Amino acid sequence: MKIGKGLRIATALMLTGAMLTACADKGTDNSAGNSSGKSSAAAEKKYKISAMTILYGAAPPDKSTGKKAIEDRYNIEYNYIPVASGEYNNKLGVTLASGDVPDAVLFPYLDAVYFSSINSGQFLPLESYMSDSAKYPNLAALPKDVMDSLKSNGHIYGVPRLRGIPGATLVLRKDWLDKLGLQVPTTYDELYDVMKAFSEKDPDGNGKRDTYGLAAGVSNGFPFISLMAAMHAGPSVGWVEDGQGGIVPGEFAPNNKLAVGYLAKLYKDGLIAPDFAIKKDAQIEDDFLLGKAGVVGNWGYTAFNKDRLEKARAVDPKFELVAIPPLKAPDGSEGGYVKGAGFFGVFALNKELEKDPGKLDKVLHMLDDQLGEEGATFFKWGVEGVHYKVEDGQKVVTDLGKTEGPNQYQMVNHANEGDWILVSADTPETTALKQNSFAVAMQGKPYTSQDIGLYSATNAEKGAELTQNVVDGLVMVITGHKTIDYLDQMFEDWKNRGGSKILTEMNEAWKARK
Amino acid sequence: MALPGLLYFLIYKYVPLMGVVIAFQKYKPVQGFLRSDWVGLDNFRRIFDTPEIEKYFINTAIISCYQIVFAFTVPIVIAIMLNEIRSAAFKKIAQTLLYLPHFLSWVVVAGIFYLLFQSDGQINHLLVSWGLHPINILSNKDNFRAMLVLQVIWKESGWGTIIYLAALTGIPPELYEAAKMDGAGRLRQIYHITLPGIRSTILILFILRLGSVLDVGFEQIYLMLNASVSDVGEVLDTYVYRMGVVNGDFSFTTAVGLLKGLVGMMLIVTANRLARAFGERGVY
Amino acid sequence: MNTSKKSSYFFYSANMLLLAMLALLCVLPIVNVVAMSVASLQDIVSGKFILWPKHLDFKAYSYIFNTGVFFSSLKNTVWITAVGTFVNLAVTTLLAYVCSRQRFSGRRMILFMVLFTMLFSGGMIPTYLVVKATGLMNSLWALVVPSAVSAFNMLVMREFFESIHESIIESATIDGCNDLGVFFRIVLPLSVPSLATFTLFYAVGNWNQYFAAILYLNDSSLWPLQILLRQVVLIGQSDIYSHLDSGEVIPLPVSTQMATVVLASAPIVVLYPFLQRYFVQGLTLGAVKG
C-alpha cells in the first residue's frame, strides 16, 4: 500500500488549509449576515428582517398564509427564526459568536447571558427611539414600571413582551370547600384548617384518605409564591425588602422562620405529599387537577383554560375552583400577592441597524405596531376568510388560523389588560375565572419581587449553585430532618460562599435603580 | 482510501479543537477566541473551589463503577444467552423486543417511572391492595444509585447486545461441532469458544468505555434527581449544568470537559498498554 | 450421557424462560406508551389501565398530522437517515479498513488521533464556526457532513476488520485486484454482519439527531422529526415552564405526547428486523476460512 507518504502530505496541506479558513472566518465575517447593503440597493426598499425567538411546542410552517400576511403588512421579507425552548441559550451563544446576529433577538430571561450580551456593545440602546411618541406611540406608552426595571446603566436595550402585572393567587377547590361546609380562608390559620379538612375529611367522597391539602413540589424553585406572599418571606417570593433599607432573598428575609415553619408544619401534619420533593411542575399540576390536592400556590390568571378544566372534569365532573383574595399577613395587617414582572423576555436589536436608519425604523415600527390596538388585533385574528370567519357577529378562528395564523410569528403583544387577557379559545367560564383571578391578585397590598432586572456578576457566576444548596436545605427543614434554626446556618453558609458579595452587589444595583 | 475520513477528522474535529483555548479565557461569544480576556487557570480553580466538588466526584465515580460492572456486562450475558437459543423465530422476536426500550427518550422513561413509583403511583396502589407496605424508591438515598443503573440496564442492554451478536457471527460453527464431539457441555463451550470469540470486541468496548468514565448520563440523572437524594445523586455533569450551561458560561464547561478528557485519556492509555502487554490488539 | 442431556435440556429451558421474561419486561412499558397514545382522556386520568384502554381515541394522532410540520419533518428525517448513513458507512469503512491492515505504517497514529477526538472536543462554538465556514449552514448537509464518522464506530469496525486474514487479501492482490478492488470484492462481502451492525448504529443515530438541527438549521421547514418530538414531549414533562408566569405554556395532553413518541420512533424501530437476517452465525467468515 502506498498510502503512507502521500497521506502525510495531504494531511499537512489540509490542516493548513482548514486552519486558514477557520481563522478567516473569525476575523472578517461581520458583513456576511447583514444583507443591508444588498437590499437597500433595491428600488422599493423591501427590507429583509430577521427575528430570533423562543419556540414552545410544534413549529409553525416556514411558508404560510400567516407569515405572508405579515410580510405584506410591513412590505418586508420576514426571516422568522424560532428556536426550540430547551436549547435557546446554546443557539444564542453560537449566534452571537458567529457574528451573524439577527436584527431582533429575544432574550427570554434577564440573566447572565442577557447582561453579558448587552454589556458587550452588540445591541442597540433604544431609549432615544422609544421615547419618540410621535413616531412610535405604542413604544413610548410602555408601562413605566416595566421600563424602569429594564434600565441598565441608564440605557434600555429591550422591547418587552408584555404580560399581566397581576401575579399568582392561591387557588382552591371550590366544590371541596362547599362539600365540607368551609369558608374561604382569610388568614394563615384558617388556610391551615381548610388544608387539614381537605386531607382528613375525604373531600372527594371516595371513602379513602388519599387527598392532601396543598399541591407541593420542587422544580427550579418551590411553587409556593402565592402561599408565601403575605409573609413577605420564604421560598419563591424572590428578593424582598429586609426592613433595614436593603433587600435579601425571601429565604433569608425577616419572616423566614415563620414562612418555612408553616410549610414544615404542613408536612409534619400530612397536608402535603410525603415525597413532594420528587414532584416537578407537571406532577404538581396533575395533583391539583386530578383531585389529589385541594390548594395550589402558583396559578396566575393565564392558568385558567379549557384544557385544564376538561382534564380535571374527566376525573371529577363536579370540579370547581376559585382564586381567593390575599391572606392577612401574620401580624394581622393587610396582605398582598407578589406582582408579576409585567413582561416575559425582551427583544434586543442588532447594533448594526444603526447604519441603516430605514431598516431600523422598519423594525421599530413592527414592534410598535404589534403593541398597539390595531396591529395586535391583526396578529390575534389574522386575515378574514383565511384565519378567521365571522359568525353571528362573532369572530371564529379557522383551523388554518390555529396552525399558521400571524400570531404564530408574533414578536411582541398588546398590554394584557381588559379583553386582551383573553384568547380566542376562552369560554364564558374561563373568561370569568381569568377576570376574577386578575382582579383578586391586585387586592390588598400587592408588591414586586425586588430582584427583577438587577444584575450581580457574582450571582451570575455562582447563583445557580448556591440556590441549589438553599433548595436542598429547605427541603431538609420542611421534611423535619433539620430544625428551623438550620435556616440561620444556611444563611451563614450562603454568605460565606459568595452570598455576601451577591448581597452587596444586588443592594448597590437596587439602590442605583431607586 | 483513508483520505475522506482523515479530512473529516481534521476539519470537523481538529480545527474546532483549537477552541479549547477558551478554557483559559473568560470567553465572551461577542469578543471571540482572539479578543476574550485570558484568565489562566481561573476556570479550573472555580471547579476546585466548590466545597462539594469532592462529593460530586465520588458520586460520579461510584455510579460510573456500577455502570461498568453491571450495565456493561449485562449485554454480554444476554448476547451469549441469545446465542444459545436454537429456535430462530424465538431468537429474532426476543432480540427485537429487548432492543425496543432504547428508542424511548429519557424524558419518557422518567415520566413512566414517576407515574409508576411515586408514593401514590400504580405500583404502590398495587402493593397496598395486596396488603403490603408501599415502597419509596424515587426519594430514597439508599437505592437511588441502584435505581439509576437498573434504568440504564433496562433501557440499553438489548441495544448493547447487537454488537456482540455481530461479533458472535464470526465464530466458525465447526468449533462448536468439534467441542461437542469432545463431550463438552454448553457451559464449557461458552467458556472455551464463545467467550474467546468475542474477547477482543469486549476488550475494545471496555477500553473505550473507560474513556468516558466521568460521563454518567446527564439527562437521566437530571430528570431523576431531587432534593432528597442529592447527597448521593449529584454528579459532575449536573454540577456543570448549573455552573456553566444555564449561565451560558462556555469557558467553564470547556474547562471541565478538558479535565474529564484528561482523566479518560489516562485510563485509556493505561488500559491499552496493559492490553497490548498481554498480547491483545488494543484500541490503537 | 443421559444426565448431561438432561442438564443441557434444563439449561436450555431456563435460558429461554429467562430471556422471555426479560423481553416481556422490555416490551410492557412500550405497550403502555402505545396504549396511552390511543386512550381517551378519561382512561388516562383515572390511571386504571396499564396495557390497553377501554375507550379508544385517535384525537392525538390527528393533532400531530395537523400540526402542518409533521410530514415535512418526516421527509427531512428520512433524507438525513438515508443520505447520512450512506456517507457514514462509505467514509468509516474505508478508514477502518486501512487502519486494520498491519502493513500500513501510520495506522497506530491515525487510530490514536481518532480516539483523541472522543476524549477532547473543541465544543459547540468552534464546531459551529467550522460548519459555517464550510458553507453548510441552513442545509440538511449540516446534519450529514459534520458527523460523517463516529470515532467509536470507526474504532470498533476496525476491530471487526482485523479478523479478515491478511492472506486472503494477499491472494486477491496477486490475482490482480488493486486496493479498492480488494475492498469491494473481498472485504465488504466478508463483513456483512458488522456492516449490518454499523448501518443500524448510524441509521438510528442519524434518525435521532436534533441538537445539530437546532444549531444549524434556521428554517423550520428543514427540521427533523426529533425536534417536533422534543417540543411536544418536553413541554409536558420537564420543568421548563417553571420560570414563566404559570400557565403561559400549556402542556399538551399525555396522549398527544405518547402519539408523537410512537410516530417518531416506529419507522426506525422496524429497521432492525430487516437487518436481522444478516446476523446469521458463521455464514461468512467460517465459509471462507475453511
Side-chain angles (χ1 to χ4, degrees):
Chain A
M1 226 173 263
K2 285 155 269 169
I3 295 177
K5 193 176 169 196
L7 195 143
R8 253 171 258 148
I9 296 170
T11 306
L13 277 175
M14 272 321 297
L15 188 59
T16 330
M19 277 165 76
L20 284 175
T21 335
C23 295
D25 173 54
K26 278 165 217 151
T28 61
D29 203 49
N30 281 332
S31 57
N34 291 299
S35 47
S36 50
K38 229 188 300 167
S39 49
S40 58
E44 72 274 17
K45 289 243 177 189
K46 187 165 186 167
Y47 291 107
K48 186 173 174 179
I49 309 286
S50 55
M52 183 162 115
T53 177
I54 195 165
L55 172 75
Y56 298 102
D62 201 35
K63 288 191 181 59
S64 76
T65 52
K67 198 171 159 189
K68 179 80 182 20
I70 296 171
E71 294 185 323
D72 292 346
R73 182 178 179 87
Y74 299 127
N75 184 32
I76 56 167
E77 195 183 320
Y78 189 26
N79 182 15
Y80 172 80
I81 308 168
V83 178
S85 52
E87 307 295 344
Y88 197 83
N89 268 1
N90 283 330
K91 177 86 174 189
L92 197 58
V94 293
T95 305
L96 296 178
S98 71
D100 224 355
V101 183
D103 300 315
V105 177
L106 176 75
F107 286 90
Y109 310 107
L110 304 190
D111 55 7
V113 180
Y114 169 74
F115 285 105
S116 85
S117 303
I118 61 171
N119 292 335
S120 71
Q122 210 166 1
F123 294 95
L124 195 59
L126 298 173
E127 59 279 356
S128 58
Y129 307 100
M130 292 176 75
S131 54
D132 188 344
S133 59
K135 246 174 143 179
Y136 312 115
N138 300 314
L139 287 176
L142 280 164
K144 192 177 169 308
D145 282 358
V146 170
M147 296 327 284
D148 281 348
S149 63
L150 284 177
K151 223 170 246 168
S152 171
N153 299 327
H155 293 300
I156 290 173
Y157 289 92
V159 177
R161 302 198 302 177
L162 294 175
R163 295 295 182 266
I165 301 281
T169 68
L170 280 165
V171 176
L172 275 63
R173 280 290 290 265
K174 174 94 168 32
D175 55 324
W176 286 10
L177 281 177
D178 294 346
K179 181 157 185 231
L180 302 175
L182 300 166
Q183 296 296 312
V184 166
T186 59
T187 65
Y188 278 98
D189 288 341
E190 287 174 20
L191 179 65
Y192 174 86
D193 293 337
V194 166
M195 290 195 205
K196 199 169 171 68
F198 279 175
S199 85
E200 289 173 359
K201 297 216 172 127
D202 192 24
D204 58 356
N206 67 355
K208 285 186 242 169
R209 199 187 151 173
D210 58 356
T211 49
Y212 297 107
L214 178 71
V218 185
S219 44
N220 283 328
F222 294 85
F224 301 140
I225 184 161
S226 55
L227 178 64
M228 295 290 107
M231 301 236 189
H232 282 255
S236 71
V237 297
W239 288 57
V240 293
E241 297 189 46
D242 63 1
Q244 295 159 21
I247 55 173
V248 281
E251 292 84 349
F252 306 126
N255 262 349
N256 68 339
K257 289 189 184 168
L258 205 62
V260 179
Y262 189 77
L263 294 171
K265 186 166 157 61
L266 296 183
Y267 183 86
K268 189 165 139 260
D269 297 348
L271 309 190
I272 48 187
D275 58 348
F276 81 99
I278 66 165
K279 295 190 190 239
K280 310 209 163 153
D281 290 320
Q283 283 96 22
I284 300 159
E285 184 175 320
D286 275 357
D287 277 0
F288 181 68
L289 290 177
L290 307 184
K292 289 181 183 166
V295 180
V296 65
N298 66 341
W299 277 28
Y301 67 93
T302 49
F304 299 90
N305 67 51
K306 217 172 86 202
D307 287 349
R308 287 198 172 98
L309 292 180
E310 260 171 23
K311 191 170 178 182
R313 287 186 181 140
V315 181
D316 184 353
K318 294 194 291 291
F319 181 94
E320 295 284 342
L321 72 185
V322 60
I324 67 166
L327 303 175
K328 284 201 179 73
D331 62 6
S333 66
E334 192 176 29
Y337 286 121
V338 180
K339 288 192 277 190
F343 65 98
F344 172 44
V346 297
F347 274 99
L349 305 189
N350 189 345
K351 189 96 193 270
E352 297 287 317
L353 284 171
E354 227 173 6
K355 295 179 190 153
D356 187 347
K359 191 173 176 189
L360 173 60
D361 177 62
K362 185 62 96 180
V363 178
L364 286 166
H365 168 72
M366 285 169 69
L367 291 163
D368 183 68
D369 180 58
Q370 295 175 25
L371 284 162
E373 193 83 22
E374 201 265 329
T377 308
F378 163 78
F379 272 88
K380 183 172 180 183
W381 295 102
V383 179
E384 186 174 355
V386 182
H387 303 118
Y388 74 96
K389 46 191 195 263
V390 179
E391 284 173 2
D392 309 328
Q394 294 280 329
K395 287 178 180 171
V396 183
V397 189
T398 61
D399 283 345
L400 201 62
K402 276 180 202 154
T403 55
E404 56 176 65
N407 62 346
Q408 301 275 348
Y409 308 90
Q410 197 164 358
M411 294 162 74
V412 294
N413 56 281
H414 191 278
N416 282 336
E417 56 198 26
D419 281 350
W420 289 101
I421 68 172
L422 304 176
V423 295
S424 47
D426 273 324
T427 61
E429 185 187 15
T430 58
T431 303
L433 285 168
K434 272 187 178 173
Q435 284 166 342
N436 176 53
S437 166
F438 199 82
V440 296
M442 298 300 278
Q443 285 178 17
K445 289 187 195 152
Y447 61 99
T448 313
S449 297
Q450 297 298 309
D451 51 322
I452 293 167
L454 296 187
Y455 178 67
S456 142
T458 313
N459 193 36
E461 191 174 288
K462 295 189 173 153
E465 181 69 8
L466 292 180
T467 304
Q468 183 66 42
N469 288 331
V470 171
V471 169
D472 287 356
L474 285 172
V475 169
M476 300 289 272
V477 175
I478 294 170
T479 54
H481 288 88
K482 299 270 187 197
T483 64
I484 194 77
D485 290 325
Y486 183 60
L487 283 171
D488 297 329
Q489 194 191 325
M490 277 167 58
F491 193 25
E492 288 311 310
D493 282 352
W494 181 81
K495 282 195 280 196
N496 291 335
R497 297 184 54 178
S500 318
K501 235 175 143 187
I502 296 178
L503 269 180
T504 317
E505 289 169 2
M506 290 292 275
N507 275 290
E508 276 168 9
W510 182 69
K511 278 169 191 150
R513 189 168 70 187
K514 260 181 140 183
Chain B
M1 278 169 82
L3 200 61
L6 291 176
L7 283 182
Y8 163 76
F9 278 103
L10 289 176
I11 298 174
Y12 289 102
K13 295 290 171 185
Y14 277 88
V15 173
L17 205 52
M18 292 187 281
V20 295
V21 296
I22 69 172
F24 306 95
Q25 293 179 333
K26 190 160 181 57
Y27 175 72
K28 292 199 173 129
V30 182
Q31 293 169 344
F33 303 107
L34 303 176
R35 278 169 296 146
S36 287
D37 298 333
W38 292 90
V39 295
L41 294 175
D42 266 12
N43 293 308
F44 297 91
R45 227 167 272 141
R46 261 181 75 199
I47 304 172
F48 294 108
D49 274 352
T50 307
E52 284 88 4
I53 191 71
E54 200 181 329
K55 183 173 84 186
Y56 300 154
F57 185 83
I58 290 172
N59 287 343
T60 310
I62 293 178
I63 294 173
S64 192
C65 281
Y66 281 179
Q67 283 188 356
I68 291 176
V69 173
F70 299 105
F72 182 81
T73 47
V74 169
I76 303 174
V77 176
I78 296 182
I80 293 173
M81 284 165 70
L82 281 168
N83 191 49
E84 292 298 313
I85 298 288
R86 290 284 154 266
S87 153
F90 179 87
K91 196 167 163 181
K92 275 191 174 178
I93 293 173
Q95 261 178 354
T96 308
L97 296 184
L98 282 168
Y99 107 131
L100 281 177
H102 174 75
F103 291 89
L104 290 183
S105 58
W106 278 115
V107 186
V108 177
V109 174
I112 295 176
F113 243 73
Y114 277 116
L115 280 181
L116 289 176
F117 289 105
Q118 60 188 337
S119 61
D120 48 4
Q122 280 152 334
I123 298 286
N124 278 333
H125 276 306
L126 219 58
L127 289 175
V128 171
S129 70
W130 291 340
L132 298 169
H133 281 291
I135 51 162
N136 164 27
I137 66 163
L138 292 170
S139 54
N140 187 345
K141 271 185 208 180
D142 300 332
N143 61 21
F144 185 73
R145 291 170 186 153
M147 181 192 72
L148 289 179
V149 176
L150 279 173
Q151 279 184 342
V152 174
I153 291 178
W154 175 77
K155 189 171 179 299
E156 302 297 342
S157 289
W159 177 253
T161 57
I162 290 173
I163 202 152
Y164 296 112
L165 290 173
L168 283 167
T169 61
I171 301 174
E174 305 91 85
L175 289 182
Y176 289 104
E177 296 300 324
K180 239 181 252 169
M181 302 267 236
D182 295 345
R186 299 304 313 177
L187 286 175
R188 283 179 67 91
Q189 289 179 30
I190 290 175
Y191 188 75
H192 288 292
I193 302 170
T194 315
L195 274 177
I198 56 173
R199 189 185 57 208
S200 56
T201 307
I202 295 176
L203 192 72
I204 292 273
L205 291 180
F206 179 74
I207 296 176
L208 291 178
R209 179 67 186 77
L210 285 180
S212 53
V213 70
L214 294 180
D215 295 318
V216 284
F218 167 74
E219 203 178 0
Q220 177 203 11
I221 296 183
Y222 181 73
L223 288 164
M224 300 311 299
L225 204 58
N226 55 67
S228 310
V229 296
S230 60
D231 263 356
V232 296
E234 283 283 0
V235 293
L236 286 177
D237 286 346
T238 52
Y239 162 74
V240 171
Y241 180 78
R242 281 200 305 276
M243 289 289 276
V245 179
V246 284
N247 302 339
D249 188 339
F250 299 105
S251 285
F252 184 76
T253 51
T254 308
V256 178
L258 211 55
L259 275 186
K260 280 165 65 174
L262 280 175
V263 172
M265 189 74 169
M266 284 190 304
L267 288 174
I268 284 199
V269 170
T270 314
N272 202 60
R273 281 242 173 95
L274 277 174
R276 289 178 69 90
F278 282 98
E280 297 288 341
R281 274 194 293 269
V283 178
Y284 63 94
Chain C
M1 216 44 202
N2 202 11
T3 50
S4 113
K5 230 181 202 162
K6 242 186 206 157
S7 85
S8 123
Y9 181 74
F10 171 77
F11 173 85
Y12 189 71
S13 323
N15 183 27
M16 204 148 163
L17 193 71
L18 195 58
L19 274 175
M21 273 163 50
L22 286 178
L24 204 65
L25 202 64
C26 285
V27 82
L28 284 182
I30 313 280
V31 175
N32 184 255
V33 166
V34 178
M36 293 227 268
S37 74
V38 294
S40 66
L41 184 61
Q42 230 94 16
D43 282 351
I44 289 179
V45 294
S46 68
K48 287 204 178 89
F49 81 93
I50 292 187
L51 290 186
W52 207 246
K54 278 202 205 80
H55 316 277
L56 289 183
D57 185 339
F58 294 96
K59 245 198 317 214
Y61 287 89
S62 69
Y63 168 84
I64 299 163
F65 290 135
N66 286 330
T67 50
V69 286
F70 176 76
F71 291 102
S72 74
S73 302
L74 181 63
K75 199 185 75 198
N76 294 330
T77 295
V78 169
W79 190 93
I80 294 161
T81 306
V83 176
T85 307
F86 178 78
V87 171
N88 293 148
L89 286 173
V91 184
T92 311
T93 48
L94 284 169
L95 186 59
Y97 170 64
V98 171
C99 291
S100 75
R101 295 302 98 193
Q102 305 284 343
R103 69 211 142 92
F104 170 46
S105 57
R107 64 200 281 271
R108 281 197 76 191
M109 194 198 86
I110 294 182
L111 287 169
F112 186 78
M113 214 185 92
V114 171
L115 178 68
F116 193 80
T117 64
M118 277 179 81
L119 298 165
F120 299 98
S121 92
M124 185 181 64
I125 291 179
T127 309
Y128 180 91
L129 295 175
V130 173
V131 171
K132 192 168 161 250
T134 44
L136 298 174
M137 287 303 292
N138 224 7
S139 134
L140 285 181
W141 288 101
L143 272 66
V144 172
V145 179
S147 52
V149 184
S150 137
F152 176 88
N153 286 357
M154 183 267 164
L155 292 171
V156 180
M157 193 188 270
R158 164 257 172 185
E159 158 63 25
F160 277 66
F161 283 145
E162 294 268 2
S163 60
I164 298 174
H165 210 268
E166 191 64 32
S167 59
I168 301 174
I169 287 155
E170 265 164 28
S171 62
T173 317
I174 291 163
D175 289 348
C177 276
N178 62 10
D179 284 338
L180 273 177
V182 171
F183 180 72
F184 283 109
R185 281 190 227 151
I186 312 288
V187 176
L188 287 188
L190 282 180
S191 314
V192 170
S194 71
L195 285 180
T197 307
F198 292 104
T199 305
L200 184 71
F201 282 13
Y202 273 128
V204 171
N206 286 326
W207 186 273
N208 287 334
Q209 281 206 58
Y210 82 96
F211 189 63
I214 289 176
L215 292 187
Y216 305 139
L217 305 178
N218 286 339
D219 290 354
S220 58
S221 59
L222 294 174
W223 287 1
L225 211 45
Q226 290 300 320
I227 295 189
L228 178 67
L229 172 71
R230 293 185 75 90
Q231 285 297 93
V232 168
V233 175
L234 270 181
I235 282 207
Q237 308 220 332
S238 80
D239 46 7
I240 48 153
Y241 66 109
S242 58
H243 294 284
L244 323 185
D245 299 357
S246 182
E248 172 108 14
V249 178
I250 303 154
L252 289 159
V254 174
S255 59
T256 308
Q257 296 174 28
M258 294 307 153
T260 318
V261 171
V262 172
L263 286 175
S265 324
I268 193 72
V269 164
V270 299
L271 185 66
Y272 186 47
F274 279 109
L275 289 171
Q276 248 176 352
R277 61 199 168 104
Y278 299 111
F279 290 86
V280 183
Q281 189 176 16
L283 175 81
T284 48
L285 281 184
V288 175
K289 264 184 190 165

